[in-house]
Amino acid sequence: MLRLGRREFGRHEPVIMAIVNRTPDSFYDQGATFRDEAALDRVGQAVAEGAAIIDIGGVKAGPGAEVSAEEEARRTVGFVAEVRRRHPEVVISVDTWRHEVGEAVCEAGADLLNDAWGGVDPKLAEVAARHGAGLVCTHAGGAEPRTRPHRIGYQDVMADILRVTVGLAERAVALGVPRESVLIDPGHDFGKNTRHSLEATRRLGEMTATGWPVLVSLSNKDFVGETLDRPVKERLIGTLATTAVSAWLGAQVYRVHEVAETRQVLDMVASLAGHRPPAVARRGLA
């Protein structure tokens, strides 16, 4: 059982985490949800389309202008409080690696801290434990936040992913984070080249076999773009193909830009796997 905020999710229940960037320079939407009203509209649409989690980020993942912890908090804390007020049942996640920001957003109502940079600030897990919040434990290959990998290598990329993510998850539980609220993430593109991310996807079953719920953040990423030689705005098909494979291999949470399309893919895979009945079954019966 995965428990986040007020919500519980069964073992075979796929969960959509919708991305809402509070940044003026996000790689995908170039700041489309930087302003409050546009961001709140995005939250409402994502919830209506089937997102159970809203992931709010205040700093672009890639290189760019410096964003202080104070500025990151300014972009996220008040917004978290307003989303909590408007959508009391939704799970609110905040994408941050800084414990100061984690503290502030948890006080404002966040349920989950999405640490995409692999525990670079070890105090973030302590914050999650103190507030009873969940934690995403990600493999980033030891990369510093907001840096791109350069000729990084692994003897066995999945072995390294398992060592790091399971280690972070076990540490979080030891600190007091509820075990049922901890997820692990292979960290596609983070500290990895395209071949590493493809291999991580092929071998995702090794992560799901650990028993920890697995989150994948695949949406429109560079490894999809390089694999198909497509720019950012033309990566949806590749993203959905990767989503289907990840679902078949047992991932549970999907961090995405396109909620409605992802919902259909996940429902179809769940039905193929025998975990979900068809929405309609009239063929050959009427």
Side-chain angles (χ1 to χ4, degrees):
M1 180 69 69
L2 174 63
R3 183 176 291 113
L4 300 171
R6 301 181 182 182
R7 302 287 297 274
E8 292 185 352
F9 305 96
R11 179 183 174 188
H12 296 298
E13 182 177 356
V15 182
I16 295 178
M17 170 190 274
I19 300 166
V20 179
N21 290 314
R22 304 307 319 285
T23 62
D25 54 355
S26 52
F27 93 99
Y28 181 67
D29 58 27
Q30 298 300 305
T33 53
F34 184 48
R35 297 187 181 279
D36 286 353
E37 282 311 309
L40 288 167
D41 288 347
R42 160 69 175 160
V43 172
Q45 178 186 7
V47 171
E49 291 178 347
I53 307 173
I54 300 297
D55 190 48
I56 300 163
V59 184
K60 176 183 176 181
E66 174 67 22
V67 179
S68 67
E70 292 75 17
E71 173 61 17
E72 183 184 356
R74 188 190 70 78
R75 295 176 180 181
T76 55
V77 175
F79 188 72
V80 166
E82 182 61 16
V83 173
R84 178 82 297 147
R85 186 185 73 81
R86 295 193 185 195
H87 302 278
E89 298 302 318
V90 79
V91 177
I92 299 177
S93 168
V94 175
D95 181 352
T96 186
W97 74 88
R98 292 164 163 153
H99 75 273
E100 305 97 327
V101 176
E103 188 80 49
V105 296
C106 283
E107 290 176 356
D111 305 299
L112 177 65
L113 297 176
N114 181 12
D115 180 9
W117 291 102
V120 68
D121 182 347
K123 292 183 180 179
L124 189 65
E126 298 172 16
V127 170
R130 187 158 54 250
H131 288 274
L135 184 69
V136 179
C137 301
T138 307
H139 180 272
E144 289 295 315
R146 307 192 67 194
T147 61
R148 298 195 188 282
H150 179 68
R151 296 187 177 180
I152 190 167
Y154 302 94
Q155 285 190 340
D156 183 326
V157 65
M158 182 50 74
D160 204 72
I161 289 170
L162 292 171
R163 176 184 63 82
V164 170
T165 59
V166 172
L168 290 170
E170 290 176 345
R171 175 180 181 268
V173 172
L175 287 169
V177 180
R179 187 179 184 88
E180 63 273 16
S181 304
V182 176
L183 304 100
I184 59 175
D185 177 355
H188 289 81
D189 276 359
F190 281 61
K192 298 171 189 68
N193 62 32
T194 289
R195 288 184 174 86
H196 293 142
S197 292
L198 291 171
E199 182 174 351
T201 306
R202 281 194 301 274
R203 298 174 61 185
L204 200 66
E206 295 176 44
M207 291 193 77
T208 60
T210 66
W212 296 99
V214 173
L215 179 151
V216 287
S217 183
L218 311 167
S219 193
N220 302 296
K221 283 198 165 178
D222 284 348
F223 83 96
V224 175
E226 287 194 355
T227 299
L228 301 177
D229 193 17
R230 290 289 184 269
V232 170
K233 293 297 184 179
E234 297 178 17
R235 297 175 183 176
L236 175 59
I237 294 173
T239 296
L240 295 178
T242 314
T243 297
V245 171
S246 300
W248 189 258
L249 293 174
Q252 184 164 17
V253 180
Y254 301 80
R255 183 177 181 270
V256 305
H257 297 97
E258 291 91 355
V259 175
E261 294 88 341
T262 303
R263 180 79 270 162
Q264 288 191 50
V265 169
L266 296 177
D267 285 350
M268 190 69 198
V269 174
S271 295
L272 288 167
H275 304 315
R276 172 189 177 273
V280 178
R282 291 188 293 262
R283 181 173 174 81
L285 301 176

